[in-house]
């Protein structure tokens, strides 16, 4: 438990007063311990005792009343039973009415083919709007029904398909399209009796060459033509959603949907009920109980290899992503079984520095719980792939045994503080990482040690305080049972609108791409070689969603200077301004860079400086002249030796003639220094004091 106080400067007397108030109010249930008793813990809280006494007195009063007037008690119980029975009858009548109306309603089957989920959302939206008009709607993926599943169908079918690659159908519609082409070639009228319409989704400028214009919305247009050849009856012209329209796909959808309702004869029905609000990440976070959700229950469910969709969003905050094997997705769909689900685990490791013992544990976890290999990312940390659900908890517990964790490695929180130290780095070209990162010049060992410590302090200061992680994965329990509730002093119950990335760079090397992060700290060194502080950058990010004109890349702005002691509070103030002003309605437009452009840089800076309590000092001169790692051996100012190695694609694995995983494992078994992961693609660095006799590189 933590002592209650308003600030770290509170006096001991103020803390004592706040503690007494917490106990007297019942916020802290106070227990006394006496080892001489059978039950050593006893409740010692007047507030709870008084509440309990009031409850018992009230119950005793009711008991005495029932004994004094048995008839009255009987009538009370009888009337209660009557009300319960009447409520049950009302629910039964409502259920029967729904059943009858469903039998009388026109059926509408909505089929979708979608890779990124956009077409699936449109299909579900269409089904919901149809149900509001009295239609009996159902929503399924193309391949889950198959072309044969439509044979003999006499209802209405609405197809919704996005476009993949060069006019190809999405993954969960490819088997359907193969069967469609085969049926057209054979001339079979497999869709006789089916009344259909198609809505396609694509981007008319995705392939800019004139000869590639045919790729635009090709799956939707092909389906519209071929369904008619197979005997289907087109009830509304094909609708085409274009990402290049002012309102994206919604422009074409707004034209197409009314034509479908008219064909079904429900266009004149007035819909009085508002459409249900879609469940968003914001709803999931608010209802999660500080990132708990039903993750613990889902881990125990052996009937599926997946977690619930809402829990899949929450596990990102715990450093876990749910995935499935795309290579066998079609095969498993044909077999009628769920996808081959597995999980990716990302470790939280501020600055990317680990010990040989930790390296060996990562190597062992990959073998025992993952796919036998592990990866090093450009955010200076480890990732494990192919972890099945029943291995999630043991894997995270093994990570914890070497004093590492995965909390906040993903999700809408501060994910990373990056610092390129000395590197043995392997990494992948993925820009979605969570650590606090920083940069490396081996000859500046003392400076880099100071910057690495700063990175760790920022990361620890901004880490979520929920105990859900320790409860779910490490089997730790809250003190005093459920009497104490979680509290997030920085994030609140909604956390941040989107991910938040921090990096630290040491000029003249910008190997962390400092201006592409939400917040950057550029180390400023004095003439004596000591760390004086950091220039602060905000608002960087290179992410962009193709076809979405509201998204764009942006380089960070330098907004001032802070001392090392101020750095973590500066990062917190910036993050709080983003928390309260970020776009929670549109995740595509929710990153810090968009908040700054919407508010204006001066207004944003004024807001976070107001929270900080003082303005940043003017930025100091600095210069970057390189952004790469140096391979080979170096000697630091402390006399230690350092080596930087290249590992292709950041994957630590053994291959023909390239036994990297085995070689690095053997190095870790005799290594007495540290392993340092860099942000650059596929590099690792080691800091070496004295090699033991016989130490060598192998493989």
């Amino acid at each position: 438990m933590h002592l209650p106080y308003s600030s770290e400067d509170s006096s001991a007397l103020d803390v004592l007063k706040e503690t007494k108030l917490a106990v007297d109010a019942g916020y802290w249930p106070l227990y006394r311990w006496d080892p001489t008793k059978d039950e050593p813990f006893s409740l010692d809280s007047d507030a709870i005792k008084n509440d309990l006494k009031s409850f018992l007195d009230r119950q005793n009063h009711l008991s005495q009343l029932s004994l004094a007037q048995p008839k009255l008690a009987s009538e009370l119980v009888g009337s209660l039973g009557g009300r319960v029975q009447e409520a049950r009858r009302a629910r039964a009548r409502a259920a029967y009415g729904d059943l009858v109306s469903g039998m009388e309603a026109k059926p509408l089957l909505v089929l979708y083919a979608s890779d990124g989920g956009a077409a699936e959302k449109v299909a579900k939206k269409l089904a919901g709007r149809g149900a509001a008009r009295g239609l009996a709607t159902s929503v399924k993926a193309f391949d889950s029904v198959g072309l044969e599943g439509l044979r003999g169908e006499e209802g209405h079918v609405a197809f919704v398909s996005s476009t993949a690659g060069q006019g190809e159908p999405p993954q969960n519609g490819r088997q359907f399209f193969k069967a469609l082409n085969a049926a057209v070639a054979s001339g079979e009228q497999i869709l006789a009796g089916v009344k259909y319409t198609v809505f396609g989704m694509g981007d008319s400028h995705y392939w800019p060459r004139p000869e590639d214009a045919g790729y635009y919305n090709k799956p939707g247009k092909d389906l519209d033509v071929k369904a008619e050849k197979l005997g289907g009856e087109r009830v509304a012209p094909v609708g085409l959603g274009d990402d290049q329209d002012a309102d994206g796909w919604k422009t074409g959808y707004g034209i197409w949907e009314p034509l479908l309702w008219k064909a079904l004869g429900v266009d004149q029905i007035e819909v009085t009920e508002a459409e249900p609000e879609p469940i968003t990440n914001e709803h999931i976070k608010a209802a999660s109980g500080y990132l708990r959700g039903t993750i613990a229950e889902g881990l125990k469910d052996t009937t599926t290899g997946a977690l619930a969709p809402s829990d899949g969003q929450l596990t990102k905050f715990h450093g876990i992503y749910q995935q499935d094997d795309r290579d066998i997705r079609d095969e498993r769909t044909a077999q009628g079984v769920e996808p081959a689900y597995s999980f990716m685990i990302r470790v939280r490791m501020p600055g990317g520095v680990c010990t040989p013992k930790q390296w060996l544990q990562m190597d062992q976890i990959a073998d025992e719980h993952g796919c036998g290999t592990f990866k090093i990312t450009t955010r200076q940390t480890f990732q494990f792939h192919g972890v099945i659900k029943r291995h999630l908890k043991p894997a995270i517990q093994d990570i914890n045994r070497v004093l590492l964790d995965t909390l906040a490695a993903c999700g809408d929180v501060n994910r990373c503080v990056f610092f390129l130290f000395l590197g043995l780095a392997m990494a992948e070209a993925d820009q979605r990482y969570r650590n606090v990162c920083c940069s490396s010049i081996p000859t500046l060992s003392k400076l880099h040690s100071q910057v690495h410590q700063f990175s760790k302090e920022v990361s620890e200061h901004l880490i979520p305080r929920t105990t859900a992680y320790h409860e779910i994965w490490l089997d730790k329990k809250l003190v005093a049972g459920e009497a104490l509730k979680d509290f997030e002093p920085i994030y609140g119950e909604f956390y941040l609108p989107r991910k938040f990335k921090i990096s630290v760079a040491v000029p003249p090397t910008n190997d962390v791409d400092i201006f592409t992060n939400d917040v950057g700290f550029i180390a400023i060194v004095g003439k004596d070689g000591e760390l004086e502080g950091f220039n602060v950058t905000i608002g960087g990010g290179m992410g962009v969603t193709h076809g979405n004109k509201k998204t764009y890349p942006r380089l960070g702005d330098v907004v001032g200077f802070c001392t090392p002691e101020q750095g973590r509070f500066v990062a917190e103030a910036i993050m709080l301004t983003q928390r309260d002003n970020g776009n929670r309605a549109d995740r595509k437009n929710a990153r810090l860079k968009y908040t700054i452009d919407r508010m204006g840089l001066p207004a944003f800076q004024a807001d976070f400086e107001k929270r900080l309590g003082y303005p940043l000092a003017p930025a100091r001169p600095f210069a970057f002249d390189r952004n790469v790692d140096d391979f080979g051996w170096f000697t630091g100012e402390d006399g230690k030796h350092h080596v930087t190695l290249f590992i292709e694609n950041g994957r630590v694995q053994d291959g023909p003639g390239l036994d990297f995983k085995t070689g690095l494992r053997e190095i870790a078994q005799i290594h007495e220094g540290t392993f340092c992961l860099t942000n650059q693609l596929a590099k690792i660095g080691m800091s070496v004091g004295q090699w033991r006799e016989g130490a060598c590189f192998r493989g």
Side-chain angles (χ1 to χ4, degrees):
M1 296 190 304
H2 301 279
L3 291 175
Y5 56 86
S6 56
S7 71
E8 295 183 356
D9 299 326
S10 299
S11 66
L13 180 60
D14 290 337
V15 173
L16 184 60
K17 289 179 180 178
E18 291 294 328
T19 302
K20 186 177 185 304
L21 287 174
V23 173
D24 291 343
Y27 180 73
W28 271 17
L30 182 63
Y31 292 85
R32 293 194 180 275
W33 183 65
D34 185 351
T36 63
K37 297 182 179 180
D38 294 337
E39 181 56 52
F41 287 98
S42 60
L43 182 65
D44 188 16
S45 174
D46 289 338
I48 295 180
K49 285 181 178 179
N50 292 336
D51 289 343
L52 182 60
K53 182 177 183 301
S54 175
F55 171 76
L56 293 175
D57 288 344
R58 186 164 59 252
Q59 291 298 104
N60 289 336
H61 178 73
L62 291 173
S63 298
Q64 292 172 7
L65 178 62
S66 64
L67 290 174
Q69 300 187 43
K71 182 179 179 181
L72 177 60
S74 177
E75 290 175 353
L76 285 172
V77 174
S79 63
L80 176 61
R83 288 197 296 272
V84 171
Q85 292 174 3
E86 179 57 33
R88 288 176 176 172
R89 283 194 289 268
R91 285 198 298 270
R93 286 194 296 269
Y96 178 73
D98 291 341
L99 176 62
V100 172
S101 61
M103 293 172 64
E104 295 176 349
K106 292 182 179 179
L108 172 63
L109 174 61
V110 183
L111 298 180
Y112 66 86
S114 177
D115 276 336
E120 180 179 356
K121 290 179 181 178
V122 172
K124 291 179 178 179
K125 173 187 176 73
L126 177 67
R129 293 170 69 88
R133 287 164 173 77
L135 300 175
T137 60
S138 58
V139 185
K140 297 179 181 178
F142 276 29
D143 285 352
S144 67
V145 174
L147 188 63
E148 278 295 327
L150 297 179
R151 186 188 293 273
E153 179 75 32
E154 295 183 353
H156 289 77
V157 180
F159 297 97
V160 181
S161 177
S162 58
T163 306
Q166 292 184 315
E168 300 161 7
Q171 184 77 25
N172 58 358
R174 292 181 181 178
Q175 296 302 318
F176 183 94
F177 274 87
K178 287 181 181 178
L180 183 76
N181 293 332
V184 169
S186 66
E188 187 177 4
Q189 299 289 291
I190 195 171
L191 295 182
V194 174
K195 299 177 176 62
Y196 76 93
T197 183
V198 179
F199 181 70
M201 300 173 65
D203 186 336
S204 58
H205 288 185
Y206 190 84
W207 298 100
R209 299 186 308 173
E211 58 267 33
D212 294 334
Y215 296 147
Y216 167 61
N217 256 320
K218 189 174 186 298
K221 291 187 287 189
D222 285 353
L223 176 57
D224 179 63
V225 173
K226 293 177 180 179
E228 186 177 35
K229 291 182 179 179
L230 297 181
E233 178 187 348
R234 184 186 298 108
V235 296
V238 61
L240 300 178
D242 188 352
D243 286 344
Q244 295 300 319
D245 287 336
D247 205 18
W249 59 265
K250 295 179 181 178
T251 302
Y253 182 86
I255 299 171
W256 172 78
E257 187 194 90
L259 299 177
L260 172 59
W261 302 145
K262 185 175 182 180
L264 289 165
V266 295
D267 54 316
Q268 300 300 320
I269 296 178
E270 182 179 355
V271 179
T272 56
E273 295 183 8
E275 288 187 42
E277 186 178 0
I279 301 299
T280 67
N281 285 54
E282 296 304 313
H283 296 98
I284 294 171
K285 287 184 286 187
S288 70
Y290 293 100
L291 308 184
R292 288 173 175 79
T294 57
I295 297 173
E297 294 80 0
L299 292 172
K300 298 176 182 177
D301 183 2
T302 59
T303 63
T304 175
L307 293 172
S310 59
D311 289 335
Q313 295 298 322
L314 295 176
T315 53
K316 295 178 183 179
F317 291 82
H318 300 255
I320 299 166
Y321 274 92
Q322 181 172 293
Q323 302 171 331
D324 77 278
D325 190 337
R326 291 179 294 179
D327 293 337
I328 60 173
R329 192 181 289 168
D330 292 344
E331 177 185 343
R332 293 181 68 86
T333 299
Q335 294 172 349
V337 296
E338 70 175 13
Y341 290 111
S342 65
F343 296 83
M344 181 275 284
I345 300 176
R346 182 178 294 141
V347 179
R348 183 178 69 94
M349 195 165 61
V353 180
C354 76
T355 66
K357 181 179 179 181
Q358 290 170 332
W359 182 279
L360 289 172
Q361 184 76 325
M362 301 302 107
D363 183 278
Q364 183 177 342
I365 290 170
D367 288 338
E368 294 183 356
H369 305 296
C371 61
T373 68
F374 59 103
K375 295 194 71 175
I376 297 178
T377 77
T378 55
R379 293 304 278 189
Q380 294 179 280
T381 191
F382 300 107
Q383 281 185 185
F384 303 99
H385 292 264
V387 182
I388 61 176
K389 189 168 74 172
R390 63 185 175 87
H391 279 269
L392 276 177
K393 198 168 182 177
I396 291 179
Q397 291 177 345
D398 286 348
I399 292 170
N400 184 257
R401 288 189 180 96
V402 288
L403 305 181
L404 295 174
D405 61 54
T406 66
L407 177 60
C410 319
D412 298 339
V413 289
N414 170 58
R415 307 224 185 142
C416 321
V417 179
F418 297 165
F419 164 73
L420 275 190
F421 194 58
L422 301 167
L424 179 61
M426 304 171 286
E428 60 181 347
D430 179 0
Q431 296 302 315
R432 301 167 60 87
Y433 310 97
R434 297 94 175 146
N435 249 339
V436 178
C437 294
C438 34
S439 65
S440 76
I441 304 174
T443 55
L444 300 178
S445 300
K446 180 180 179 181
L447 173 62
H448 281 76
S449 178
Q450 293 173 328
V451 176
H452 177 239
Q453 182 59 35
F454 172 81
S455 301
K456 291 169 62 178
E457 290 173 356
V458 173
S459 180
E460 291 300 323
H461 184 71
L462 299 180
I463 195 169
R465 302 303 174 188
T466 175
T467 60
Y469 181 86
H470 297 83
E471 292 174 35
I472 294 170
W473 307 109
L474 306 179
D475 295 325
K476 301 293 178 65
K477 301 298 181 184
L478 272 174
V479 178
E482 295 298 322
L484 296 181
K485 299 299 182 183
D486 263 337
F487 174 64
E488 287 284 11
I490 295 179
Y491 293 103
E493 63 176 335
F494 298 105
Y495 294 85
L496 299 181
R498 282 291 264 117
K499 60 186 175 184
F500 195 87
K501 301 192 294 187
I502 300 176
S503 286
V504 186
V506 181
T509 302
N510 183 23
D511 38 10
V512 297
D513 286 332
I514 196 77
F515 297 105
T516 66
N517 289 269
D518 295 284
V519 174
F521 290 98
I522 302 172
I524 303 298
V525 184
K527 294 181 179 179
D528 57 358
E530 294 293 326
L531 177 66
E532 293 185 346
F534 300 90
N535 282 348
V536 181
T537 71
I538 61 173
M542 302 304 290
V544 58
T545 300
H546 180 79
N548 188 336
K549 298 178 181 179
K550 296 180 181 179
T551 67
Y552 48 83
R554 186 185 192 278
L555 294 178
D557 297 293
V558 179
V559 293
F561 172 87
C562 70
T563 66
E565 295 75 23
Q566 295 171 335
R568 63 183 183 273
F569 302 110
V570 171
E572 177 186 341
I574 295 169
M575 197 168 72
L576 291 177
T577 298
Q578 163 66 354
R579 180 196 70 183
D580 296 341
N581 296 278
N583 185 352
R584 293 182 181 270
D586 183 1
R587 286 181 64 81
K588 297 289 187 182
N589 195 250
R591 289 291 298 276
L592 176 66
K593 60 183 178 180
Y594 304 120
T595 306
I596 291 174
D597 284 350
R598 188 174 61 254
M599 294 178 62
L601 182 61
F604 186 93
Q605 184 168 353
D607 188 285
F608 82 72
E609 288 182 340
K610 180 180 179 181
R611 298 170 189 263
L612 189 60
Y614 51 84
L616 296 180
R620 301 188 182 183
F622 69 94
F624 289 124
D625 61 16
R626 59 202 305 275
N627 67 344
V628 297
D629 289 332
D630 293 310
F631 292 105
W633 286 96
F634 303 89
T635 302
E637 64 184 24
D638 56 1
K640 291 185 177 181
H641 304 289
H642 314 279
V643 63
T644 304
L645 306 178
F646 171 80
I647 298 190
E648 187 175 4
N649 296 323
R651 186 174 293 279
V652 184
Q653 63 182 350
D654 289 337
L658 298 171
D659 294 334
F660 282 114
K661 188 169 182 288
T662 299
L664 290 169
R665 183 193 312 121
E666 295 190 14
I667 290 172
Q669 289 170 349
I670 60 174
H671 186 30
E672 294 180 347
T674 57
F675 288 85
C676 312
L677 320 183
T678 80
N679 295 75
Q680 300 298 318
L681 293 181
K683 304 171 197 72
I684 284 186
M686 286 183 290
S687 173
V688 183
Q690 298 293 328
W691 288 101
R692 295 180 182 175
E693 184 177 355
C696 63
F697 289 90
R698 296 183 183 177

